[in-house]
Structures are given as structure tokens and as C-alpha cells.
Amino acid sequence: MDNDKKTTVLTLTDEEIVNPGNRACSGCGLGIVYRTALKALGKDTVLAVPPSCLTVLQGLYPVASTKLPCVNVTFASTAAAATGVRAALRATGRDHLNVVAFAGDGGTGDIGIQALSGACERGEDIIYICYDNEAYMNTGVQRSGTTPKGVMTTTTPIKGKLQHKKDVPSIIAAHGIDYVATASAAYPLDLYDKVKKAASMKGGTRYIHVHTPCPSGWGFAPQYTVHIGKLGVTTGLFDLYEIVKGEFSLTGESAKRVGKERTPVEEYFKTQRRFRSLSQELTDEMQGMIDAKWANYTA
């Protein structure tokens, strides 16, 4: 693959690895992420998936929405299980297959982070994709480490989460792996190209963190999934970037925003019920953090 050539709607493959129809909620951002990522990965792929919204979306054997073999694993063991699958394929002469761990933010940045950290430290030959819908959605919208500050969940105080969002991509990048990227369900072609690039980089752990709007958990109408995902990027709250062998670069829509006016983050907060208790003071604090981050990008 030419990594400098961007995919367009005209050059995107017609091949579908996801069967029509699944058990996801209406407007689920994960549906976009999953379909797009599997298009990029192709049929020579084995998945490892922990308990999550994805296990619901995929369905249970023998009726499943995916055309790929999938190992359903325990919550904490996703990266370790993917490591085992890679070892088994190598031992049986099928090392050409992609091994992809596909987990939510809770199973990645909280419960599963120790196995992921170990895989990164060892340089295991796997791709790890985290779809970040910023809470434990499958079990009733409980807070996770990536839930933003001020968000209301079923396990936060009346004023919302007290801590800022955990920066999982930076934690993974600190391991020194060759490829770390962020993406958004609202920009599927950018996601497609990043998954393609990760698959082309054989050897070592590759990590992609995907911002994934959730209508039921975030509190917005299902038809606004892409709109809200784009707002997350155009406000500068969630950035699209790649770190390739230690070299950081903004990509896609985020690269276009450098030096230009961004949408006030308050406009993003207004679209979702989960931010209903957000004070003006906290809104200003988060806008200040975004402005400082982007000032550093510009510099």
C-alpha cells in the first residue's frame, strides 16, 4: 500500500466483511468503526474481543454479523489472548494472518491495560484497536478512565466525573512502539487508511484509538452520530494524529485546523445530555486546556 495516497469514496473497496444486520443500538458509532476497520483488514484476519458492545454487535455463534473468526476472551486478557493467537498461527505456519485485538475503552485503558502494556513492551506482532465511547456502555453507562471530566454516568457524583479523561494513546506511545494513531468514527476514510497502514507494518504492536460517539450513553438522537463526532474533532477536543516510529504528526481534519479558528468546545457539550451538569467554570477550564494544546501544535 502507498501510505501517502489517501483513500476516497471512489477508491474504497466494495468488499464487506460485516454481514448486513446486527444487534447494535440505532446510530451506534461502533458500527461505522467496525465495518470500516474490517474493510481495511480484509479476510486474512483473526479477532480477539473481550466483553463489550462489540460482542453484542457481532452476535453469538453460529449467527454472527462478522465473516471473520473471532476469539471471545475475558475482560482483562484481550492483548494477552491476541498474543497467544499470534503464537499459535506462527507455530502452524499461518503467520501471514492479521491478529487484531478489538476492545472498548474500559477493556483497554482500565481493566485490560496491563495485558496491553505487556504486549507493547514485548513488541508482540498484533494490531490493537480501541473504540472509545468514553464509558462502560454495554453494562449500563458506568464511568471509565476515558470518561471526560464533568460527564454524568450511573456511577459518578451529581456534578459528574471529577477527573479528566485518561490519555490512553499517550500511555501506549510511551512504550516506544512503531505505530500509534487516533481516529474518529465520523471520519471513516481516515480510519481506513490508518488501519491499512497498521496492517502493512508487520512486526511489533500497532495501536489505534478511535473516538466513537454513543447515542444512548451520551444522550443524543441517533441521526447525529457523525455530526457530533465531527464536532469532537473541529473543536480540537479530540485530535487525529499518527506517531510513526516516534514522529508525531496531525492528520486529516485536525491537520487542517492548525492556525485556523476552531469551534468553541461549548457547542460540542450542548449536543449531549451527559454534559447537562457541566458548569461554566469547567467549560472554560476545558476550553483553556484545548487552546493551550493547540498553541503548542502551532508553535
Side-chain angles (χ1 to χ4, degrees), residues 96-216:
H96 66 285
L97 298 174
N98 298 311
V99 177
V100 182
F102 219 127
D105 49 287
T108 300
D110 296 340
I111 298 172
I113 196 167
Q114 83 290 10
L116 175 56
S117 176
C120 291
E121 186 270 329
R122 296 189 304 272
E124 300 290 354
D125 184 12
I126 63 172
I127 300 170
Y128 196 109
I129 300 174
C130 171
Y131 58 93
D132 183 6
N133 51 27
E134 300 185 329
Y136 291 87
M137 297 305 183
N138 185 39
T139 52
V141 194
Q142 296 89 6
R143 77 180 287 292
S144 76
T146 68
T147 302
K149 188 174 182 178
V151 162
M152 297 289 293
T153 73
T154 57
T155 54
T156 45
I158 193 169
K159 291 186 177 181
K161 189 186 175 201
L162 303 178
Q163 301 81 19
H164 283 291
K165 179 184 175 85
K166 184 189 293 187
D167 188 355
V168 178
S170 292
I171 295 171
I172 301 306
H175 289 75
I177 63 176
D178 284 349
Y179 190 72
V180 175
T182 62
S184 168
Y187 296 94
L189 295 179
D190 178 71
L191 169 62
Y192 178 89
D193 283 341
K194 287 170 177 172
V195 175
K196 270 287 189 186
K197 180 180 287 189
S200 72
M201 299 172 68
K202 296 297 183 181
T205 308
R206 291 86 79 199
Y207 179 82
I208 302 175
H209 195 97
V210 192
H211 192 235
T212 308
C214 171
S216 57

Side-chain angles (χ1 to χ4, degrees), residues 6 19-21 39 42 69 73-74 78 107 124 136 158 173 175 181 184 187-188 200 224 268 292:
K6 302 300 181 185
N19 291 312
K39 273 179 170 286
V73 304
T74 58
T78 310
E124 300 290 354
Y136 291 87
I158 193 169
H175 289 75
S184 168
Y187 296 94
S200 72
Y224 295 119
Y268 174 77

